[in-house]
Amino acid sequence: MKKALALALCGLTFAGMLTGCATDADVARLEKKVEKLEADIEELEAENEELMQENSDLRSQISYSNAGSGAGNAAATDTSTEPAEDTTADAGTTDQGTPVEVPADPYFESPYQIYTDEYGNVIDLGGMEIIIRDWWSTGEIPEPTNEYEEARLEYREWIQETYNFTIKELAISDWGSTPYDFVDYVTGGGDYNNYVFVIRDDPSIADALHDGLMYDLSTLDCLDFSKAQYARNLTHEQYTYKGGIYGMYSGFSEARTGVYFNKDVLRAAGVDPDDIYDMQADGTWTWEAFDDIMATVQGGNIYGLCTNESVMTSAAIYSNGGSYVGINRDGYTYNLENSNTVEALEWVVELYNRYDNHDPDGANWDYYQGEFLSGNVAFFVDDSYVGQSYSFLMDASFDIGFVTFPKGPQVDCYKGCWSNNVAVIPGIYDADRAWKIAFAYDLYNREPAGYEDFFDTSSFRSGIFDSRAIDETIPLMVSPGFGTVSYAAMVPGISLGSDFLWNINAGCDLYSCIDWVSYSWQEAIDEANR
């Protein structure tokens, strides 16, 4: 650096000579300046060497004690630190894996701190490859399309280089087989691959949880379920059983069930579609308001409602503070005959009888999709992914709005049930292997610096959603306080669809449906609590 600066100054002087602009006095003055700068640089270099030595000393003092021990593996020495959003913690180690503050490397400017082992060395995962095994990913890294995706890609490349591992998302199972593929993998003894399985709710998964086929994530100190990364979506609570945590999801929950509406049908009946958004905003979007509008528009060949009844029935129950199965400190509870639940069931069956009783005999289960596209129905209830770019709704010839499911009389705010694709680690992995996989998964799914509270709406912008749905409805549906989770899927012996939901429709005998499952569900819950 010293030589380069001196040469640069000399170069300027030489250039002045060539142009005839420099005198002997000028050259002498510049030479003195160079000598002074050289002395200043030598002093700065000496100070920098002292700082580097102090930095090295501090690094050797800071560590996690036995951070990679997982469930008691004393040989593991992996540790960790937090990204920039958590830098308010005091230096030093604390309980439950709180990161230490490591002094920044002056030769590598990064917004992230470094995780170190008990000897002060950066965690090294030994080049291990980790596969997040799902049913939709290609294994390829797509080109970023916006600043957020660019920052995320840069961050993910950095963590893999820093901690010496690779990670990729790859579809190995399909949607139908994934629960059984997980069970087969674990019961078959596994293989050399390091998997994080992405699963979905299924009776076989409930059995797997209770049979100990999933790793207890609460024993891995590199995972902190009190952090917003996990706590904001409640998935770990759904997958908590007898003090252990067996499943997780990172980030904001998926937005789930809402109400689509045909703006053209509403306008023809004298209803301003924006009024529904306004009611959602001011808290007056209620069961009663929903019913009133359907009554207004229905007539002739126009119907108030078509829907996937199973999805709408559950949405009605959760919107009134009800549930199928609850939970308390003693375990699961039978909630199907809870007053909030029964009130919602009575209301929703009445709606089916009045507004949704027009499917032809023998119609397929998905008849409602084509019926809504026909343009003769005002409202359609289903999950938000139905409105994204790959969905049948892209073929609609009319403008569509989307709001959350209206709130029932027993709640003060909008409520919905969150359901996410759950990440689990096979229970047959040893503690050191599970810790390393979880450590990598946790880092990989954090948001890059500056985007800690960023919610990506790009998938909604490429679908059928209008600006008010994107700016108002979707953020509401992923906001704190909105969501709950279903424990019915966690109880072996309860198959919500075939046991109950598929029988709830127009003309059904509601109380016979309840009586049909009451004894078997209570028995299954009692068994799960033993």
Side-chain angles (χ1 to χ4, degrees):
M1 179 176 177
K2 174 175 66 178
K3 183 180 290 186
L5 183 56
L7 288 173
L9 289 170
C10 289
L12 290 172
T13 303
F14 185 65
M17 291 177 180
L18 290 178
T19 58
C21 297
T23 65
D24 291 340
D26 291 331
V27 172
R29 283 195 299 272
L30 287 170
E31 288 176 343
K32 288 182 180 180
K33 288 183 179 180
V34 169
E35 291 175 357
K36 184 175 185 307
L37 285 170
E38 288 178 338
D40 290 341
I41 291 169
E42 289 177 353
E43 183 178 351
L44 288 170
E45 288 179 339
E47 292 177 359
N48 184 57
E49 290 178 359
E50 292 178 1
L51 289 171
M52 288 292 295
Q53 183 59 47
E54 292 176 2
N55 180 48
S56 177
D57 292 340
L58 284 170
R59 283 179 179 272
S60 66
Q61 298 172 16
I62 298 173
S63 68
Y64 276 141
S65 176
N66 200 26
S69 61
N73 182 3
T77 58
D78 295 330
T79 64
S80 48
T81 68
E82 293 289 275
E85 71 263 29
D86 292 321
T87 55
T88 55
D90 294 332
T93 60
T94 61
D95 293 335
Q96 301 303 316
T98 301
V100 295
E101 290 191 8
V102 178
D105 184 339
Y107 293 108
F108 180 68
E109 293 185 3
S110 168
Y112 307 102
Q113 295 178 314
I114 308 295
Y115 281 102
T116 61
D117 63 20
E118 60 182 321
Y119 305 108
N121 301 314
V122 176
I123 292 295
D124 187 343
L125 298 188
M128 71 187 303
E129 180 186 60
I130 296 157
I131 299 174
I132 301 175
R133 176 174 172 162
D134 58 37
W135 57 86
W136 65 87
S137 299
T138 65
E140 301 296 323
I141 301 174
E143 287 295 322
T145 60
N146 53 49
E147 291 182 356
Y148 162 70
E149 291 177 355
E150 290 175 357
R152 183 180 62 186
L153 177 59
E154 181 179 347
Y155 163 71
R156 287 179 170 178
E157 290 175 342
W158 177 78
I159 59 169
Q160 291 177 76
E161 180 179 354
T162 300
Y163 301 108
N164 190 20
F165 72 95
T166 59
I167 192 167
K168 64 180 178 181
E169 301 171 63
L170 184 62
I172 298 177
S173 307
D174 58 39
W175 185 89
S177 70
T178 189
Y180 317 108
D181 290 345
F182 171 76
V183 173
D184 290 345
Y185 177 85
V186 178
T187 56
D191 57 23
Y192 61 88
N193 290 301
N194 301 302
Y195 284 130
V196 175
F197 274 80
V198 178
I199 60 172
R200 59 177 176 82
D201 292 344
D202 185 85
S204 66
I205 292 301
D207 287 329
L209 187 155
H210 290 262
D211 290 343
L213 303 188
M214 301 174 186
Y215 202 93
D216 183 357
L217 305 177
S218 69
T219 65
L220 304 175
D221 58 10
C222 57
L223 298 174
D224 182 356
F225 291 101
S226 68
K227 289 170 50 178
Q229 178 182 2
Y230 300 108
R232 65 175 21 134
N233 60 65
L234 305 181
T235 300
H236 69 290
E237 293 187 7
Q238 181 185 7
Y239 276 74
T240 293
Y241 179 63
K242 293 186 176 179
I245 298 174
Y246 298 91
M248 59 185 167
Y249 180 80
S250 180
F252 287 95
S253 174
E254 292 184 41
R256 300 300 295 195
T257 307
V259 181
Y260 296 88
F261 52 91
N262 183 327
K263 295 183 180 182
D264 292 352
V265 167
L266 295 179
R267 292 189 187 103
V271 178
D272 185 345
D274 277 332
D275 287 348
I276 301 177
Y277 284 118
D278 293 342
M279 285 190 288
Q280 176 179 257
D282 64 23
T284 58
W285 177 232
T286 63
W287 285 2
E288 182 180 5
F290 187 31
D291 192 340
D292 287 345
I293 298 176
M294 284 191 284
T296 298
V297 301
Q298 181 153 299
N301 66 338
I302 300 296
Y303 298 103
L305 177 68
C306 68
T307 188
N308 182 332
E309 288 86 356
S310 295
V311 173
M312 182 169 172
T313 298
S314 290
I317 288 173
Y318 291 108
S319 75
N320 200 42
S323 63
Y324 303 101
V325 175
I327 195 168
N328 59 29
R329 62 183 181 181
D330 297 321
Y332 302 118
T333 60
Y334 172 70
N335 279 15
L336 185 59
E337 297 180 65
N338 172 278
S339 60
N340 291 5
T341 303
V342 172
E343 182 180 28
L345 288 168
E346 292 173 338
W347 174 75
V348 78
V349 169
E350 176 63 20
L351 292 191
Y352 297 156
N353 290 333
R354 293 168 58 194
Y355 305 117
D356 187 42
N357 194 12
H358 43 81
D359 291 2
D361 290 339
N364 291 333
W365 71 271
D366 59 355
Y367 173 79
Y368 65 90
Q369 297 179 2
E371 189 172 41
F372 188 69
L373 289 180
S374 73
N376 296 325
V377 182
F379 291 101
F380 157 58
V381 177
D382 213 325
D383 287 336
S384 66
Y385 64 77
V386 172
Q388 297 182 17
S389 60
Y390 48 80
S391 167
F392 71 92
L393 285 183
M394 296 298 290
D395 295 330
S397 59
F398 47 85
D399 291 334
I400 299 175
F402 182 70
V403 289
T404 188
F405 200 85
K407 63 183 176 182
Q410 304 306 321
V411 298
D412 296 325
C413 59
Y414 303 111
K415 288 289 184 182
C417 184
W418 288 337
S419 179
N420 296 296
N421 298 320
V422 183
V424 300
I425 294 175
I428 54 174
Y429 291 171
D430 64 45
D432 181 64
R433 185 181 181 187
W435 189 93
K436 290 176 178 177
I437 292 170
F439 173 77
Y441 176 89
D442 178 78
L443 289 179
Y444 181 79
N445 284 286
R446 294 182 187 179
E447 298 294 1
Y451 292 91
E452 292 81 8
D453 293 317
F454 176 75
F455 178 70
D456 186 9
T457 59
S458 58
S459 62
F460 300 100
R461 296 182 187 280
S462 61
I464 55 85
F465 299 97
D466 63 14
S467 61
R468 294 198 69 175
I470 294 170
D471 296 338
E472 300 174 34
T473 306
I474 300 300
L476 169 64
M477 295 172 70
V478 302
S479 64
F482 175 89
T484 185
V485 291
S486 171
Y487 294 99
M490 300 294 98
V491 180
I494 291 181
S495 182
L496 196 55
S498 58
D499 287 355
F500 184 73
L501 278 178
W502 298 348
N503 301 315
I504 305 302
N505 46 48
C508 75
D509 184 340
L510 172 62
Y511 299 102
S512 292
C513 293
I514 293 174
D515 289 343
W516 177 256
V517 299
S518 59
Y519 177 80
S520 62
W521 281 18
Q522 184 64 69
E523 189 176 49
I525 289 168
D526 291 341
E527 179 63 27
N529 288 335
R530 290 192 178 97

